[in-house]
């Protein structure tokens, strides 16, 4: 009997064609989605492949925090700036309107502060053009850790090291008088920057600071400056007395 049956006529291929068209359409959608949003496609594929694993959603924002890890001079003001960039996972490409700054030092728990959103039309300083939000610490006194957060997402943690202001702790003045005077060189009272000497005398200034120096200058009453030679915490410079009030 089976030999007499025409299977091509008996089997209805319309459902198979519909299923084939549907499968092709779904495959085409997946390919387009994978090309346009590769990160989201991989995340979705991973979720379906591992249904029992906890899925970490990709971040919607990228935080650029300045100054990041840095040193700050004690009792000076310090600005924290934040620029937010939407990631490919952020379909709306919008950034938060509010950001929190979280801060912690050795003696306290985490504290939080609201950052100020910068009006684009009022960005005058060049540094302000690279940030969307800003917060100013007044007279920082101690080291602290900090990070920023918005809409449940956080930046990495950063550390600010507070250092003492560089200051002169010792001064030594050596006066070399003009040769016609036949006077010997004289070391003036230490830690007294004032000197009385004949015009034409050559004065050598030796200064010591409380920390290693990067640069040191002798500054005169007429506004001129002379760079000193530095080595670690010491600086040496010299000048010639040409008039009163030098």
């Amino acid at each position: 009997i089976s030999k007499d049956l025409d299977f091509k006529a008996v089997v209805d291929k319309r459902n198979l064609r519909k299923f084939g068209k549907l499968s092709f359409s779904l495959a085409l959608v997946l390919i387009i989605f994978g090309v346009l949003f590769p990160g989201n496609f991989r995340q979705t594929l991973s979720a379906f492949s591992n249904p029992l694993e906890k899925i970490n959603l990709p971040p919607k924002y990228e935080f650029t925090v300045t100054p990041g890890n840095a040193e700050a001079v004690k009792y000076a003001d310090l600005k924290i700036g934040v620029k937010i960039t939407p990631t490919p996972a952020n379909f709306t490409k919008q950034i938060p309107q509010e950001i929190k700054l979280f801060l912690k030092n050795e003696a306290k728990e985490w504290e939080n502060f609201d950052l100020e959103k910068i009006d684009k039309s009022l960005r005058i300083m060049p540094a302000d053009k690279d940030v969307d939000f800003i917060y100013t610490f007044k007279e920082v006194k101690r080291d602290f850790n900090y990070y920023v957060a918005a809409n449940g997402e956080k930046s990495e943690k950063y550390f600010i090291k507070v250092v003492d202001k560089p200051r002169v702790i010792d001064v030594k003045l050596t006066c070399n008088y003009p040769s016609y005077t036949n006077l010997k060189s004289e070391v003036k009272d230490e830690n007294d920057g004032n000197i009385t000497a004949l015009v034409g005398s050559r004065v050598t200034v030796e200064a010591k600071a409380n920390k290693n120096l990067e640069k040191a200058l002798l500054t005169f009453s007429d506004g001129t400056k002379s760079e000193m030679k530095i080595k670690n915490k010491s600086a040496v410079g010299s000048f010639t007395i040409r008039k009163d009030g030098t």
Side-chain angles (χ1 to χ4, degrees):
I1 299 175
S2 61
K3 293 181 179 180
D4 298 330
L5 291 175
D6 186 357
F7 286 97
K8 293 183 179 179
V10 173
V11 177
D12 188 356
K13 296 182 179 179
R14 288 178 295 178
N15 290 334
L16 291 176
R17 292 192 186 98
K18 290 181 180 179
F19 180 77
K21 290 180 180 179
L22 180 61
S23 299
F24 177 77
S25 299
L26 289 175
L28 184 61
V29 170
L30 288 174
I31 292 172
I32 294 174
F33 182 78
V35 171
L36 295 178
F37 309 103
N40 298 83
F41 180 77
R42 288 192 295 269
Q43 193 75 22
T44 304
L45 184 62
S46 176
F48 278 106
S49 303
N50 305 280
L52 299 181
E53 291 186 8
K54 184 179 178 181
I55 302 299
N56 295 319
L57 297 177
K60 293 183 179 180
Y61 316 111
E62 179 180 315
F63 298 93
T64 303
V65 183
T66 54
N69 296 309
E71 288 188 349
V73 177
K74 195 171 186 178
Y75 299 118
D77 293 346
L78 175 67
K79 284 187 177 181
I80 303 291
V82 180
K83 182 176 180 60
I84 298 185
T85 305
T87 65
N90 187 341
F91 296 106
T92 65
K93 303 302 179 185
Q94 295 181 350
I95 66 172
Q97 298 303 305
E98 295 182 356
I99 296 183
K100 292 281 188 181
L101 171 67
F102 290 81
L103 176 149
K104 181 181 184 299
N105 57 43
E106 295 179 355
K108 297 182 179 180
E109 298 298 325
W110 285 101
E111 301 178 275
N112 66 83
F113 307 89
D114 292 319
L115 277 81
E116 177 186 358
K117 185 173 176 59
I118 297 180
D119 187 338
K120 293 183 179 180
S121 63
L122 300 178
R123 296 182 183 184
I124 300 174
M125 300 299 293
D128 293 342
K129 298 183 183 299
D130 296 328
V131 297
D132 300 305
F133 296 84
I134 198 166
Y135 185 85
T136 302
F137 287 101
K138 297 293 185 180
E139 299 183 351
V140 291
K141 298 178 178 66
R142 55 180 64 89
D143 303 346
F144 63 87
N145 296 284
Y146 74 101
Y147 68 91
V148 298
N151 293 349
E153 300 196 23
K154 302 177 182 179
S155 72
E156 63 178 284
K157 292 180 181 178
Y158 301 97
F159 180 70
I160 296 294
K161 175 70 175 178
V162 178
V163 297
D164 289 330
K165 291 181 180 180
R167 65 179 186 275
V168 176
I169 59 176
D170 186 45
V171 177
K172 178 181 176 183
L173 301 178
T174 302
C175 184
N176 297 293
Y177 296 105
S179 57
Y180 68 84
T181 64
N182 292 322
L183 295 174
K184 294 181 179 180
S185 298
E186 180 182 5
V187 177
K188 298 294 183 179
D189 292 337
E190 295 187 3
N191 300 320
D192 185 358
N194 298 313
I195 188 170
T196 301
L198 295 170
V199 172
S201 298
R202 187 73 177 171
V203 179
T204 299
V205 181
E206 300 174 70
K208 291 183 180 180
N210 64 327
K211 59 186 299 182
N212 288 343
L213 301 171
E214 294 183 2
K215 188 176 183 179
L217 298 172
L218 289 173
T219 303
F220 304 98
S221 57
D222 60 359
T224 59
K225 297 179 180 181
S226 174
E227 189 165 350
M228 304 174 74
K229 294 181 180 179
I230 60 173
K231 183 178 180 181
N232 299 327
K233 298 179 181 180
S234 300
V236 178
S238 60
F239 63 95
T240 301
I241 297 178
R242 303 192 184 281
K243 60 180 181 178
D244 290 339
T246 299

